[in-house]
Amino acid sequence: MNAHLRRSFYFFAMGFVVLIGVLAYWQVYARESLADNPANNLQTRKDISAPRGLILAGDGETVLARSEPRETQTGTVYDRSYPEGAPFSNVVGYWSTQYDRTGIEAGENSTLSGAAGDPETLDELINQLSGGPQPGNNVVLTLDPDLQRIAYEGLAESRTGRGSAVAFDPRSGEVLALASYPSFDPNDIDENFPELSEDPDSPLLNRATQALYPPGSTFKVITAAAALEAGVEPGQEFVDDGAYETPGYTVRNYQNKSRGEVTFTQALVFSINVVFAEIGVDIVEPERLDEMAREFGYGDDYEDFPLSVSPSGTGPPPEEWLPGYTAQVAFGQGQVLSNVFEMGLVTAAIANDGEMMEPQIVREIRSPDGVILDRSSPETRREVLPEDTARDLNEMMQAVVSEGNLTQAQLGDVPVAGKTGTAEAPPNSPHSWWISFAPADDPEIAVAVMVENGGIIDVEGDADTPAIPIATEIIAAHLDAEPGPIPQPAPQQPPNQQPQPGQGQQPGPGQQPGQSPGQPPAQPGAPPFGQQQAPFQPQPAQPPGAAPGQQQPGQSPGG
């Protein structure tokens, strides 16, 4: 009898433990995911019966999302409105009982809906005990509303009207701007969602974080970092004879041009693919190049970031790279894919002496009555480069602007560092990239901009660089600086003598010294190569080491 009692006791005790475990799981561990589940009709009814929290810009005053009361036959319900509309919608997202939620509305749903936990202020406790609607907490973002609008408008006014931009504070990792175009008005999402979802320009896609493109020559800063770590000096000389051969694949400069003896810095300034292919294959080698890309964040999905981020990548595992494929990776082609979010973090890490900060877009959580419940603080993600290596790369990127005569990127006497990229896309319309930070001697802002198919090839064979002026406007607004080179006084002329052609004239935006007005700007670049592809879709996979088809061997955008 005692044995039967003991077994019964153990059975009921075990059942009690299991019951406690199940309750704990649903009440504690799975509470937030259950509240966020769009199939949870009870939560949906709760959401519309109480106001969600505000979403505010970084100034703490600009309202990006709020709840508006509406009377119905069953009582008061709350609809979501977005006062700033399309310029912020790729970040803020939308909240809909029909089409779920995206952006910050999804990433911070528990905070905004009040489902994140117990009351944290006396007002919340009193409201809960009285049975009244419990408003959600407010979310304050890091976005500078002025920079966000500048980025958005710059993309909207670009030649193709498709692209993305990001600006970071490299010292803290705060996102100052994160723009995508084309966009949508979240106020009309319920009415327009079917049309928006079928739009071939994909306005619902956050191009800044979710779309992937070949980064082109902006990837050369990663190759350069790996080379510096491998012992290459900025002043080390290389011979550019116009071609670099590997088994089955030959890299050639555009129009078979060559620059002869150049330093490593000059190879970055003039974006010489032949030299970077040689460095990638013979000095850095696949494992080290792939490892450096991963140190900079390639492969990361940034799961703690409240917005969805598509991981960047370099293609197949490095042990499968043949020399021809390694050569392509070294200048950002092959199967290398990235987005402005990732390349912005790469730029910010270089600007911050090699220290990559954790990206942050939420600055504060506030209660409905304004009490600060949580505040973010800068956090190091990883030490990517030693400080001396990062500073060497910083100086090389400054030379890209100064020695490359990129007048569109200059800010008077403020030193600017940067790197262009002209990445493979359909014929004569490569993607235009620009990564940059300033002031280069004490960086306060790092920017990445990409204009889809914006690098139109002109009759002279040069690629346009529409990403540069967009980034320059963002940086100039943040630093309160004036875009353009340092004004130079006109040379004094003898009395009654007219200036000779070219004297006393400063080059205009994008115009090189000695270049007549009206001539195409002499920006680095070359016709794109490879098969046509839809915007923001990965290019067709090439076998590692094989040359892309429909091109002269190895000729690629040199920007």
Side-chain angles (χ1 to χ4, degrees), residues 454-471:
I456 304 297
I457 304 297
D458 63 24
V459 294
E460 300 295 327
D462 295 316
D464 195 9
T465 53
I468 294 180
I470 297 173

Side-chain angles (χ1 to χ4, degrees), residues 213-226 268 271 276 280 284 286 288-294 296 298 312-315 321 325-333 335-338 342-343 346-347 350 393 419-423 433 435 559:
Y213 313 80
S217 291
T218 58
F219 190 87
K220 286 174 182 171
V221 299
I222 296 177
T223 305
L268 186 69
S271 208
F276 272 85
V284 175
R288 184 179 290 162
L289 184 54
D290 182 70
E291 180 183 356
M292 182 58 71
R294 291 187 176 277
F296 272 110
Y298 273 61
S312 300
T314 56
W321 296 5
Y325 185 77
T326 305
Q328 296 177 59
V329 173
F331 50 83
Q333 294 287 174
Q335 296 179 42
V336 183
L337 294 170
S338 192
E342 171 59 39
M343 293 309 299
V346 169
T347 310
I350 297 169
L393 188 51
K419 181 68 189 81
T420 54
T422 307
W433 284 84
I435 58 175

Side-chain angles (χ1 to χ4, degrees), residues 438-464:
D441 52 358
D442 188 17
E444 298 177 24
I445 184 172
V447 176
V449 176
M450 195 280 302
V451 177
E452 284 182 18
N453 310 121
I456 304 297
I457 304 297
D458 63 24
V459 294
E460 300 295 327
D462 295 316
D464 195 9

